[in-house]
Amino acid sequence: MALSAAACTTVAPQGETTETVAQPAEVTLIRDREEADRLFAVTEITLQWIGWDRRGSVVFTRDGESVHLRGVHSTVDGQGTLVVDGRVAEVGTDYCILDGTITIENTPDTGRSCELTRRDWRFAVTQNRPYYRLREFEWCDGLTDYIDLYHPRSPSS
Protein backbone atom coordinates (compact mmCIF):
# COMPACT_ATOMS: atom_id res chain seq x y z
CA MET A 1 0.00 0.00 0.00
CA ALA A 2 1.48 3.35 -0.99
CA LEU A 3 1.22 6.55 0.98
CA SER A 4 -0.22 9.64 -0.68
CA ALA A 5 1.52 12.99 -0.84
CA ALA A 6 0.01 15.93 0.99
CA ALA A 7 0.01 19.48 -0.34
CA CYS A 8 0.87 22.28 2.02
CA THR A 9 1.07 26.04 1.64
CA THR A 10 4.03 28.01 2.99
CA VAL A 11 4.65 31.73 3.19
CA ALA A 12 7.91 32.96 1.70
CA PRO A 13 9.93 35.67 3.52
CA GLN A 14 8.59 38.43 1.20
CA GLY A 15 4.97 37.47 1.92
CA GLU A 16 4.57 35.40 -1.26
CA THR A 17 2.73 32.11 -0.92
CA THR A 18 4.06 28.96 -2.49
CA GLU A 19 2.58 25.50 -2.65
CA THR A 20 4.79 22.48 -2.15
CA VAL A 21 4.04 18.80 -2.12
CA ALA A 22 5.39 16.81 0.83
CA GLN A 23 6.99 13.60 -0.40
CA PRO A 24 5.84 10.49 1.44
CA ALA A 25 8.37 8.20 3.06
CA GLU A 26 8.95 5.05 1.04
CA VAL A 27 6.98 2.09 2.33
CA THR A 28 8.73 -0.83 4.06
CA LEU A 29 7.64 -3.95 2.18
CA ILE A 30 6.65 -6.72 4.62
CA ARG A 31 6.67 -10.13 2.94
CA ASP A 32 6.58 -12.10 6.22
CA ARG A 33 4.75 -10.56 9.23
CA GLU A 34 6.30 -12.96 11.79
CA GLU A 35 9.78 -12.15 10.50
CA ALA A 36 9.03 -8.43 10.68
CA ASP A 37 7.98 -8.80 14.31
CA ARG A 38 11.23 -10.68 15.01
CA LEU A 39 13.36 -8.12 13.17
CA PHE A 40 11.74 -5.11 14.83
CA ALA A 41 12.47 -6.69 18.23
CA VAL A 42 16.23 -6.51 17.50
CA THR A 43 17.98 -4.23 19.99
CA GLU A 44 21.69 -5.05 19.60
CA ILE A 45 24.37 -4.82 16.91
CA THR A 46 28.01 -5.88 16.66
CA LEU A 47 31.03 -5.51 14.44
CA GLN A 48 33.57 -8.24 15.20
CA TRP A 49 36.50 -5.79 15.29
CA ILE A 50 34.85 -4.06 18.25
CA GLY A 51 33.73 -7.32 19.89
CA TRP A 52 30.77 -9.57 20.56
CA ASP A 53 30.74 -9.36 24.37
CA ARG A 54 29.79 -5.67 24.60
CA ARG A 55 27.14 -5.05 21.99
CA GLY A 56 25.92 -1.79 20.54
CA SER A 57 22.31 -0.67 20.33
CA VAL A 58 19.68 -0.68 17.59
CA VAL A 59 16.63 1.56 17.46
CA PHE A 60 13.73 1.27 15.02
CA THR A 61 11.46 4.23 14.28
CA ARG A 62 8.34 4.38 12.15
CA ASP A 63 7.14 7.09 9.81
CA GLY A 64 3.75 5.91 8.61
CA GLU A 65 4.44 2.68 6.73
CA SER A 66 8.20 3.21 6.59
CA VAL A 67 10.56 1.73 9.20
CA HIS A 68 13.98 3.24 9.90
CA LEU A 69 16.86 1.42 11.61
CA ARG A 70 19.81 3.04 13.36
CA GLY A 71 22.46 0.90 15.01
CA VAL A 72 25.68 2.04 16.69
CA HIS A 73 28.52 -0.05 18.14
CA SER A 74 31.60 1.66 19.61
CA THR A 75 34.82 0.64 21.28
CA VAL A 76 35.09 1.32 25.02
CA ASP A 77 37.11 4.48 24.35
CA GLY A 78 34.67 5.58 21.62
CA GLN A 79 37.37 5.78 18.94
CA GLY A 80 36.30 2.80 16.83
CA THR A 81 32.71 2.94 15.62
CA LEU A 82 30.15 1.22 13.45
CA VAL A 83 27.00 3.04 12.36
CA VAL A 84 24.23 1.41 10.32
CA ASP A 85 21.54 3.90 9.38
CA GLY A 86 18.71 3.66 6.88
CA ARG A 87 15.24 2.61 5.87
CA VAL A 88 14.26 -1.04 6.10
CA ALA A 89 13.20 -1.52 2.47
CA GLU A 90 11.98 -5.13 2.73
CA VAL A 91 11.49 -7.91 5.27
CA GLY A 92 11.10 -11.53 4.18
CA THR A 93 11.60 -14.95 5.70
CA ASP A 94 15.02 -14.89 7.41
CA TYR A 95 16.20 -11.65 5.74
CA CYS A 96 15.84 -7.91 5.51
CA ILE A 97 17.10 -5.36 3.01
CA LEU A 98 18.31 -1.95 4.15
CA ASP A 99 18.38 1.21 2.05
CA GLY A 100 21.00 3.25 3.86
CA THR A 101 24.56 3.91 4.92
CA ILE A 102 27.10 1.79 6.74
CA THR A 103 30.07 3.56 8.30
CA ILE A 104 33.09 2.02 10.02
CA GLU A 105 35.70 4.32 11.57
CA ASN A 106 39.04 3.55 13.24
CA THR A 107 38.60 -0.20 13.58
CA PRO A 108 40.31 -2.61 13.46
CA ASP A 109 43.05 -0.07 12.77
CA THR A 110 43.27 3.60 13.63
CA GLY A 111 42.69 5.63 10.47
CA ARG A 112 40.47 3.08 8.74
CA SER A 113 37.46 4.84 7.28
CA CYS A 114 34.69 3.09 5.34
CA GLU A 115 31.36 4.60 4.38
CA LEU A 116 29.00 3.43 1.68
CA THR A 117 25.36 4.21 0.90
CA ARG A 118 23.42 1.52 -0.96
CA ARG A 119 19.83 0.56 -1.60
CA ASP A 120 20.36 -3.16 -1.18
CA TRP A 121 22.25 -4.04 1.99
CA ARG A 122 21.06 -7.59 2.68
CA PHE A 123 21.07 -9.03 6.21
CA ALA A 124 20.09 -12.68 6.63
CA VAL A 125 19.71 -15.37 9.28
CA THR A 126 21.65 -18.47 8.27
CA GLN A 127 22.02 -21.84 9.99
CA ASN A 128 19.42 -20.87 12.66
CA ARG A 129 21.78 -18.32 14.22
CA PRO A 130 20.31 -15.79 16.69
CA TYR A 131 21.18 -12.83 14.45
CA TYR A 132 20.92 -11.32 10.99
CA ARG A 133 24.37 -11.00 9.38
CA LEU A 134 25.26 -8.56 6.64
CA ARG A 135 25.84 -10.73 3.58
CA GLU A 136 28.45 -8.39 2.05
CA PHE A 137 31.64 -9.22 3.91
CA GLU A 138 34.34 -7.34 1.96
CA TRP A 139 32.42 -4.25 0.86
CA CYS A 140 35.01 -1.66 1.79
CA ASP A 141 38.73 -2.28 1.55
CA GLY A 142 39.19 -6.03 1.38
CA LEU A 143 38.87 -6.69 5.11
CA THR A 144 36.08 -9.07 6.12
CA ASP A 145 33.56 -7.21 8.29
CA TYR A 146 30.95 -9.22 10.20
CA ILE A 147 28.03 -6.94 11.07
CA ASP A 148 25.30 -8.67 13.08
CA LEU A 149 21.82 -7.58 14.25
CA TYR A 150 20.83 -9.69 17.28
CA HIS A 151 17.45 -11.10 18.20
CA PRO A 152 16.55 -10.27 21.82
CA ARG A 153 18.59 -12.26 24.35
CA SER A 154 16.88 -15.00 26.24
CA PRO A 155 17.40 -14.98 30.04
CA SER A 156 20.11 -17.62 29.59
CA SER A 157 22.18 -15.78 26.94
Side-chain angles (χ1 to χ4, degrees):
M1 174 176 15
L3 301 175
S4 60
C8 61
T9 303
T10 58
V11 178
Q14 288 79 19
E16 303 168 15
T17 15
T18 59
E19 189 169 304
T20 59
V21 176
Q23 296 298 316
E26 292 186 55
V27 173
T28 296
L29 178 60
I30 307 293
R31 297 188 182 278
D32 181 325
R33 172 53 40 202
E34 283 184 34
E35 192 70 39
D37 291 343
R38 184 167 76 149
L39 173 67
F40 301 151
V42 162
T43 58
E44 298 176 315
I45 189 171
T46 60
L47 171 63
Q48 93 277 14
W49 307 120
I50 296 172
W52 284 291
D53 295 334
R54 201 179 121 272
R55 298 175 181 175
S57 63
V58 172
V59 175
F60 289 94
T61 55
R62 293 180 190 267
D63 178 9
E65 294 181 57
S66 182
V67 178
H68 185 271
L69 172 154
R70 180 168 174 81
V72 178
H73 190 205
S74 299
T75 56
V76 174
D77 64 7
Q79 296 300 308
T81 59
L82 161 72
V83 177
V84 176
D85 192 20
R87 179 180 63 88
V88 178
E90 182 177 331
V91 181
T93 305
D94 290 334
Y95 77 91
C96 69
I97 297 173
L98 184 74
D99 173 4
T101 303
I102 296 178
T103 306
I104 298 174
E105 295 288 339
N106 294 313
T107 187
D109 303 308
T110 301
R112 182 179 189 220
S113 181
C114 297
E115 181 172 295
L116 186 60
T117 300
R118 291 182 40 182
R119 296 187 61 88
D120 62 350
W121 293 109
R122 184 178 187 88
F123 289 81
V125 175
T126 60
Q127 302 172 355
N128 278 336
R129 292 184 173 128
Y131 52 81
Y132 298 85
R133 176 163 281 170
L134 178 65
R135 302 313 299 163
E136 325 268 337
F137 303 111
E138 297 172 0
W139 59 272
C140 176
D141 54 8
L143 290 180
T144 301
D145 298 307
Y146 293 116
I147 299 172
D148 300 327
L149 302 170
Y150 286 85
H151 302 140
R153 293 185 197 216
S154 66
S156 63
S157 63

